[in-house]
Amino acid sequence: MKKYVAFLIQLMVWSSFTLVDWLSKRDHKEYKILMFAVFFYLAFIIARSIVKSKKITLFVTLFSLAFYLSFHLVLQNFIPITFLFIV
């Protein structure tokens, strides 16, 4: 159950990263990479305080990042296409 809670909280962290990335769309790539590192560290620390294991924390963090990235790409690429067919 702790892994699931950490996963859900990390999805909220990745969502906030996407919001901050959208708000700072004119920033340089170096700042975006640094911002990603900060959010990754934040997600890792939050999960570490919940799970209490480094290996499981790293697995949950990478899994939540992969899940969110795939979900984000699906919504970014396929939703505008289906919207064109509806209208």
Side-chain angles (χ1 to χ4, degrees):
M1 189 66 168
K2 289 181 181 182
K3 296 175 206 170
Y4 182 66
V5 170
F7 176 76
L8 290 178
I9 291 174
Q10 283 184 344
L11 286 180
M12 288 187 250
V13 170
W14 297 127
S15 298
S16 61
F17 169 74
T18 304
L19 177 66
V20 171
D21 186 38
W22 177 69
L23 290 173
S24 64
K25 60 184 169 187
R26 294 184 182 179
D27 285 347
H28 296 285
K29 292 286 183 189
E30 295 87 16
Y31 297 123
K32 290 186 178 192
I33 292 170
L34 183 64
M35 184 176 59
F36 174 77
V38 168
F39 274 89
F40 186 85
Y41 183 70
L42 178 67
F44 185 82
I45 293 298
I46 289 172
R48 176 93 192 270
S49 67
I50 295 170
V51 176
K52 307 279 192 235
S53 170
K54 285 185 183 180
K55 285 184 180 180
I56 296 174
T57 300
L58 185 62
F59 174 74
V60 169
T61 304
L62 292 176
F63 182 73
S64 70
L65 179 60
F67 180 80
Y68 188 75
L69 182 63
S70 63
F71 191 72
H72 182 74
L73 289 175
V74 165
L75 288 179
Q76 189 177 16
N77 292 330
F78 295 125
I79 297 298
I81 294 171
T82 57
F83 182 72
L84 289 175
F85 291 122
I86 293 172
V87 175

